[in-house]
Amino acid sequence: MAKRTAAKTKTRNPKPLTKRKAWKALEAHYKKIRKLHLRSLFADDPKRGERMTAEAAGLFLDYSKNRITSETLKLLIWLAEKSGLRTRIDAMFRGEKINITEKRAVLHVALRAPQGTSIMVDGENVVPQVHAVLDKMTDFSNRVRSGDWKGHTGKRIRNIINIGIGGSDLGPVMAYEALKHYSDRSLNFRFVSNVDSTDFAEAVQDLEPSETLFIVSSKTFTTLETMTNAHTARAWLLNGLIGDESAVAKHFVAVSTNAAEVSKFGIDTANMFGFWDWVGGRYSMDSAIGLSTMLAIGPGNFRSMLDGFHQMDEHFRTAPFESNLPVLMGVLGIWYTDFFGAQTVAILPYEQYLKRFPAYLQQLAMESNGKHVTLDGSEVDYPTGPVYWGEPGTNGQHSFYQLIHQGTRLIPCDFIAFGHALNPMGRHHDMLLANVFAQSEALAFGKTLEQVKAEGTPDWLVPHRVFEGNRPSNTILADRLTPEVLGKLVALYEHIVFTQGTIWQINSFDQWGVELGKVLAQRIIPELESPKEQTLGHDASTNNLIRRYRKLKTQE
Ligand code: F6P
């Protein structure tokens, strides 16, 4: 990889998106082809199913079941080019401060940059710092996994609890579940995120404090939920170990950018694993925030995951847009969100281990692209980030797929499937894969009135049994779910989000929208806890709810 230094690149987009020629051309094109059915698109082009595919770093993408023609794709790619996507990709990889509202670089790609490469931030190469933290995590993980690191009473650590929320929880949970197959089964992993005390109570109810290690994961180390849970964890530990404060050193480590707060909490900063302000919370699962992942799967597997991320980064950085997986999926998302008016995207992994992947993508996509003003602060006049949701197949088929097939909304779907099961048994995997292929086929082609009638269906039942079809989907196929493949998949979606954020001209890297609720909660806490009723200055509904809760609290 070439040495990259920060240079000033114009990242603002002067021309409003909807005034761009490419946008106008897409509007006109949409009017022409919006009624085209996938049935005729496939009938007119027998090679479509092979032609509209792309492959990179071992991920195969079939995007042929989208409501597009070759012309659509050309126009969408033109839009991406004219939106300065290439320049912005280069700016990100160079370490420019493209997160303009927080004046920060956006360098999750540096977290997986191989040793010996160079990415400069404020005149400093950050890659050696990344590898120093990785080495420290490796040493610590080896000590815990081998039993060398002992608890305060000399017992081996058996339980590891990650305390964190948002990006400091969803990545670790998702990766732990996704890679459980590769994990050390003699260690128990739990994840506490919610400030609801049930989360903590259930996580520790069958655990022995002397065998439990807490990882307090928080970029800021000030997040209400995480700090509340961390204090509760400390009290639980000290209670179990008869109040010996020195036990904290052997049972608590921290992952944070805030050494001062870590030390204030009582964790020795020697047991702190750092990262940097240029790593966004939702882009941090491959930083030290992934310490629980490394403890579970081991340092070798963790590094394979990083390698997977890096392979996808390099593909995104260098491949022509026409064959660039994140760009293709990114522009297809724009096509449905902004032209067809789709409001959601369904993420449908046909791999049980990916059961938390949709939840992980919710934060990645929705915290990133849930924005209503452009980089220069003007209100957008087009829809931005859609709602992400989903469940693993085949469970979803017996629940919400009905609405995707026959409801009134257009819901583009991403199917994710693998050539091999990690726990092969009998015919299960063939059945699983038959279901993925059947679903995307049924969504695209449906069942016509004539077909339903020809089956001898009574007339009154015919309309109920017709499937309109023309429901778009992507299918991603990979060999098997490994740490490396997980890295590729996550990086793929990170860069899809980046592609879309660039076209929408928004800042995908801040999250001011979560601030107001946090501030108001801080104001309400004393109003709930004060022994004397306070004069409340909220709206009538909030005031009333507060009073009612105070009354409920006093009743047994
Ligand atoms: O919810 C807002 C947010 O800032 C997320 O972006 C972040 O992932 C989460 O809170 C947790 O923050 P921290 O790691 O600082 O505790």
Side-chain angles (χ1 to χ4, degrees):
M1 197 200 292
K3 181 171 164 165
R4 300 187 192 108
T5 46
K8 281 255 171 308
T9 302
K10 211 166 155 200
T11 51
R12 292 180 192 205
N13 225 324
K15 193 160 192 177
L17 176 59
T18 50
K19 302 272 180 303
R20 291 197 168 284
K21 271 194 195 147
W23 184 275
K24 298 263 177 230
L26 277 160
E27 278 178 334
H29 176 70
Y30 168 74
K31 282 188 192 135
K32 264 206 308 215
I33 76 143
R34 74 194 167 91
K35 292 232 166 93
L36 260 185
H37 201 290
L38 282 164
R39 280 183 210 123
S40 52
L41 287 169
F42 271 84
D44 294 349
D45 175 5
K47 289 249 178 273
R48 182 181 170 96
E50 286 145 55
R51 202 167 51 78
M52 289 194 168
T53 62
E55 194 161 7
L59 298 189
F60 174 79
L61 169 69
D62 175 353
Y63 60 92
S64 62
K65 293 191 184 91
N66 280 291
R67 291 171 66 172
I68 54 168
T69 62
S70 301
E71 175 69 7
T72 322
L73 214 53
K74 239 189 252 160
L75 293 174
L76 285 167
I77 285 170
W78 184 33
L79 180 70
E81 281 162 357
K82 290 293 168 192
S83 300
L85 180 59
R86 178 62 66 204
T87 315
R88 202 163 158 84
I89 293 173
D90 291 344
M92 171 171 72
F93 277 84
R94 261 202 312 265
E96 272 187 42
K97 297 193 174 164
I98 59 170
N99 175 359
I100 56 159
T101 60
E102 296 179 324
K103 300 191 175 63
R104 289 176 182 165
V106 174
L107 270 182
H108 39 281
V109 293
L111 298 170
R112 49 266 191 161
Q115 214 148 17
T117 54
S118 167
I119 301 179
M120 306 297 282
V121 178
D122 293 331
E124 207 180 336
N125 181 9
V126 297
V127 179
Q129 300 172 28
V130 167
H131 283 271
V133 174
L134 274 173
D135 290 344
K136 187 172 170 182
M137 290 164 67
T138 300
D139 176 56
F140 178 71
S141 299
N142 285 338
R143 288 169 70 197
V144 174
R145 285 164 63 88
S146 67
D148 186 29
W149 177 286
K150 304 239 176 337
H152 181 63
T153 63
K155 282 198 183 165
R156 199 182 166 140
I157 296 298
R158 300 266 170 220
N159 316 308
I160 292 159
I161 303 187
N162 185 75
I163 298 179
I165 197 161
S168 301
D169 167 70
L170 287 161
V173 180
M174 182 278 287
Y176 172 67
E177 291 296 341
L179 302 175
K180 206 173 192 169
H181 185 73
Y182 305 89
S183 71
D184 178 345
R185 302 300 174 118
S186 68
L187 293 170
N188 288 315
F189 287 84
R190 307 260 164 97
F191 299 85
V192 175
S193 52
N194 200 331
V195 76
D196 181 339
S197 44
T198 294
D199 205 12
F200 184 81
E202 285 294 339
V204 298
Q205 60 93 19
D206 54 346
L207 303 186
E208 180 54 50
S210 59
E211 297 180 342
T212 303
L213 174 78
F214 290 97
I215 305 173
V216 185
S217 297
S218 174
K219 181 173 169 180
T220 54
F221 228 73
T222 56
T223 304
L224 172 89
E225 292 88 340
T226 302
M227 296 328 294
T228 307
N229 280 320
H231 283 283
T232 301
R234 188 166 60 181
W236 175 82
L237 178 89
L238 294 181
N239 187 38
L241 297 178
I242 340 242
D244 191 343
E245 278 281 344
S246 62
V248 171
K250 287 284 167 199
H251 293 269
F252 276 85
V253 297
V255 179
S256 188
T257 57
N258 191 344
E261 285 298 322
V262 168
S263 136
K264 218 155 106 197
F265 179 84
I267 297 176
D268 184 350
T269 45
N271 296 332
M272 168 179 156
F273 301 84
F275 61 116
W276 307 269
D277 71 357
W278 39 262
V279 182
R282 52 193 175 273
Y283 298 88
S284 68
M285 61 167 276
D286 48 345
S287 71
I289 288 291
L291 184 60
S292 58
T293 315
M294 190 189 270
L295 282 160
I297 63 173
N301 278 324
F302 192 84
R303 285 175 197 256
S304 304
M305 181 179 84
L306 296 184
D307 183 44
F309 271 102
H310 180 66
Q311 288 178 49
M312 187 52 71
D313 293 343
E314 284 304 280
H315 166 71
F316 180 52
R317 191 174 69 82
T318 59
F321 288 173
E322 292 74 11
S323 55
N324 192 312
L325 263 50
V327 174
L328 287 170
M329 290 181 71
V331 296
L332 286 168
I334 300 268
W335 180 231
Y336 294 118
T337 304
D338 294 292
F339 296 91
F340 280 86
Q343 297 194 338
T344 80
V345 176
I347 304 293
L348 307 167
Y350 278 65
E351 167 55 78
Q352 186 61 20
Y353 284 123
L354 285 180
K355 65 181 181 198
R356 297 287 292 171
F357 195 58
Y360 172 78
L361 291 190
Q362 272 177 341
Q363 188 200 13
L364 178 68
M366 291 161 75
E367 202 166 75
S368 296
N369 284 344
K371 309 288 162 64
H372 73 125
V373 293
T374 62
L375 289 165
D376 64 10
S378 18
E379 189 86 27
V380 297
D381 57 355
Y382 44 86
T384 60
V387 173
Y388 272 63
W389 60 288
E391 278 290 318
T394 56
N395 300 16
Q397 290 173 208
H398 296 272
S399 130
F400 54 79
Y401 276 41
Q402 165 64 36
L403 187 144
I404 309 182
H405 281 289
Q406 285 190 313
T408 53
R409 291 166 202 284
L410 182 82
I411 302 180
C413 300
D414 286 355
F415 291 100
I416 303 171
F418 297 88
H420 295 275
L422 293 176
N423 299 292
M425 278 177 210
R427 297 168 58 217
H428 281 253
H429 202 64
D430 287 342
M431 290 185 188
L432 180 70
L433 271 281
N435 273 281
V436 198
F437 302 147
Q439 289 302 323
S440 68
E441 186 179 5
L443 286 169
F445 302 103
K447 203 178 207 185
T448 62
L449 189 101
E450 294 69 33
Q451 286 170 320
V452 177
K453 276 189 174 164
E455 285 171 354
T457 311
D459 281 353
W460 66 269
L461 194 53
V462 169
H464 299 274
R465 301 200 59 167
V466 168
F467 283 65
E468 190 186 29
N470 221 10
R471 267 64 169 169
S473 68
N474 291 311
T475 301
I476 298 168
L477 265 183
D479 179 34
R480 72 184 75 224
L481 180 59
T482 60
E484 190 183 323
V485 167
L486 182 70
K488 292 172 190 175
L489 270 178
V490 174
L492 168 66
Y493 279 93
E494 285 176 350
H495 300 321
I496 291 171
V497 166
F498 183 94
T499 298
Q500 296 178 338
T502 299
I503 294 173
W504 285 322
Q505 303 177 358
I506 56 179
N507 183 1
S508 304
F509 304 104
D510 60 12
Q511 55 286 315
W512 300 105
V514 297
E515 292 305 319
L516 180 59
K518 286 188 194 172
V519 172
L520 289 178
Q522 288 297 352
R523 183 174 147 201
I524 294 173
I525 292 167
E527 294 171 346
L528 302 184
E529 290 183 332
S530 103
K532 268 213 214 133
E533 185 130 349
Q534 301 198 341
T535 318
L536 300 173
H538 305 274
D539 59 278
S541 157
T542 310
N543 288 345
N544 194 33
L545 289 166
I546 292 172
R547 279 192 219 102
R548 190 156 272 261
Y549 172 70
R550 284 181 62 92
K551 211 184 270 166
L552 280 172
K553 262 177 57 149
T554 59
Q555 292 162 5
E556 276 307 306

